[in-house]
Amino acid sequence: MEEIKMYSFYDKKAKRFDTPVFVYDEVGAKRHFIMSINREGTLMNSFKDDYELYLIGSFNINNGDFYYEEKSNKLPILVMRGTDVAKAIRETENE
C-alpha cells in the first residue's frame, strides 16, 4: 500500500483548517509550511503566530482511500507552529 500524508495549515484566529496539502513525509510538509510562512506579502507571513501545521490523515494512491488515524494517535496531530519557523531556519543555516 502506497500512502501519501495529508497536512493542513490551521489558522487559530479564524478557527479553521485550510485546504490539505499532500506530501510523502513530514520533511516535505515542514518545507511547504516554512515556505508559506516566509512568502512576503501574505497573511501567513504577516501573522506567523496565528498558524500551525497539522497532520490530518493519509491517502492511499492505489485505491483512493483516506485514513484519519495515525497508529494509536488521534488526528489531527500538531507538527509545527508558525513561531517555530524562525528557529527552524536558524538551525538549517547552522548545519
Side-chain angles (χ1 to χ4, degrees):
M1 173 173 74
E2 193 168 354
E3 293 180 352
I4 55 176
K5 303 293 184 185
M6 294 185 299
Y7 291 85
S8 182
F9 303 157
Y10 182 71
D11 181 339
K12 295 187 300 186
K13 291 287 173 32
K15 297 183 181 173
R16 68 175 180 89
F17 284 91
D18 205 347
T19 305
V21 293
F22 295 85
V23 295
Y24 282 97
D25 56 29
E26 189 173 299
V27 172
K30 285 180 176 180
R31 286 179 180 163
H32 187 74
F33 186 64
I34 290 167
M35 286 177 56
S36 297
I37 287 282
N38 286 326
R39 192 169 294 127
E40 294 287 329
T42 64
L43 283 173
M44 288 182 75
N45 183 260
S46 297
F47 302 100
K48 293 176 181 71
D49 294 348
D50 294 348
Y51 290 92
E52 298 172 331
L53 173 66
Y54 281 86
L55 172 64
I56 60 170
S58 301
F59 176 69
N60 184 311
I61 64 172
N62 295 319
N63 63 19
D65 286 342
F66 287 93
Y67 303 98
Y68 298 102
E69 285 196 23
E70 188 67 22
K71 298 180 183 167
S72 64
N73 298 318
K74 294 287 184 188
L75 296 173
I77 298 171
L78 177 64
V79 175
M80 184 178 224
R81 291 180 170 88
T83 53
D84 298 333
V85 171
K87 179 182 175 188
I89 291 170
R90 282 193 305 274
E91 288 173 358
T92 303
E93 290 173 349
N94 292 330
E95 290 179 355

